[in-house]
Amino acid sequence: MAGGLARALTLGTAAFALSGCVVAVGNQSAAPVAPATVAGVPAGMQYLYGSGEAGAASRQAYAGLVRYVNQYLRDRTTLRRMPLQAVLAPNATLAQPAQLPCTGKPAVVFDVDETVLLNTGYEYADARGGLGYDAARWERWERSDGRATRAVPGAVEGLAALRAAGVTVVFNTNRNAATAEYTEAVLNRAGLGPAKHGETLFLKGDAPGGSGKDARRALIASKFCVVALVGDQLGDFSDLFNAGLKPAERRAAADAPAVANLWGNGWFVLPNPVYGTALAGDFDDVFPNDLRWSDPGARKE
């Protein structure tokens, strides 16, 4: 979802860590293998910024989000009950993801980068120049006018539908609090606003925890009933996913019954094969022994 200025980002790594939404995985000690390229463009960028499939997946996620929120609001009115928030309680674990009770006006919390806003211009500069991450360059990007960004497909319409239903749209991003006015402006320019720092826009530095978002989520949940969370990284839903888990453990946690039920039911994830905590794991992590195949017809050298 939503900077992570401690991230390491080079064109030769698949673990791009754009400051909008990344929390570093503590156990990642080596750079992953460089992504495949076609015509010089990394495959993940081709998918996310250039493909119809990525646009379709994003629109599908936003359509599902709007349907879920409308049903939530109907249940809240007709059944006269207050469903739980999408934000986990302070004592929650991934094995027992207890949720906070719902009080106050309804809101949906969005990450920014690659969740509602595509940083196409920044990634173009990386791909074209073979550039490594530079904190000063990312800050210059945050301070840019936003002409080289565009809204994620489905985001403008989805956010408009939520606001029309009386739901407050809140952004929780790892862009820096020092550049708040620029983030407000870029969201407005893309048709995603309004966003007001400290009210509907929360940034790195607004609460303890650095790039972790739980403290900011708790702050937002104290002001609103958070109906849904939307992001492109697991850290956009809970910092527990980034608490030193190995890739296979992280995948298992996201797919365990207690958490699996939240996907599409309060938690909505957008595709991002370009950078972030998802791009980790060696052969043993990605291809466990019981899921390997050797071609019996392959020519032996």
Side-chain angles (χ1 to χ4, degrees):
M1 89 236 231
L5 299 182
R7 55 204 168 98
L9 179 127
T10 66
L11 188 62
T13 68
F16 289 147
L18 204 94
S19 55
C21 37
V22 174
V23 181
V25 178
N27 66 325
Q28 187 174 324
S29 58
V33 176
T37 64
V38 178
V41 181
M45 293 187 189
Q46 289 176 324
Y47 181 88
L48 187 58
Y49 304 114
S51 79
E53 287 84 350
S58 296
R59 287 192 176 277
Q60 179 176 266
Y62 273 101
L65 167 69
V66 171
R67 284 194 297 271
Y68 172 81
V69 172
N70 283 334
Q71 185 62 55
Y72 185 108
L73 296 177
R74 285 193 293 271
D75 288 348
R76 180 172 172 171
T77 300
T78 60
L79 301 181
R80 296 186 179 182
R81 66 182 178 87
M82 299 290 275
L84 295 172
Q85 292 206 48
V87 178
L88 298 187
N91 62 344
T93 66
L94 293 177
Q96 294 183 310
Q99 296 162 254
L100 290 172
C102 180
T103 58
K105 296 180 179 180
V108 174
V109 178
F110 294 85
D111 172 54
V112 170
D113 297 302
E114 277 56 60
T115 295
V116 298
L117 191 72
L118 292 174
N119 291 280
T120 311
Y122 183 86
E123 299 299 345
Y124 163 81
D126 273 355
R128 178 59 70 182
L131 300 173
Y133 171 69
D134 177 77
R137 185 163 61 90
W138 173 255
E139 182 168 335
R140 290 194 296 272
W141 171 250
E142 283 196 9
R143 294 178 183 274
S144 69
D145 61 11
R147 291 178 188 272
T149 64
R150 57 180 173 174
V152 168
V156 171
E157 300 89 339
L159 270 60
L162 294 175
R163 289 181 173 120
V167 175
T168 300
V169 170
V170 180
F171 303 100
N172 183 12
T173 169
N174 279 336
R175 287 180 175 235
N176 203 297
T179 59
E181 64 183 288
Y182 297 94
T183 298
E184 290 178 356
V186 76
L187 289 168
N188 290 334
R189 182 184 184 88
L192 298 162
K196 181 65 176 173
H197 186 209
E199 297 178 12
T200 57
L201 173 63
F202 295 82
L203 300 154
K204 184 179 178 181
D206 286 342
S211 295
K213 291 187 172 181
D214 278 352
R216 275 174 270 152
R217 273 187 286 267
L219 180 60
I220 297 166
S222 71
K223 301 172 182 287
F224 299 98
C225 168
V226 179
V227 176
L229 297 169
V230 188
D232 65 309
Q233 310 282 328
L234 293 186
D236 294 325
F237 305 95
S238 173
D239 291 348
L240 293 170
F241 288 111
N242 295 325
L245 298 181
K246 294 179 180 179
E249 295 171 334
R250 212 162 166 265
R251 183 181 177 96
D255 200 39
V259 170
N261 186 55
L262 293 169
W263 304 118
N265 291 294
W267 288 6
F268 293 82
V269 66
L270 276 291
N272 184 356
V274 176
Y275 64 82
T277 51
L279 303 183
D282 57 21
F283 266 91
D284 288 336
D285 291 314
V286 179
F287 304 107
N289 285 328
D290 61 336
L291 293 174
R292 297 181 183 184
W293 179 73
S294 296
D295 183 2
R299 217 169 84 187
K300 291 187 168 73
E301 298 295 335

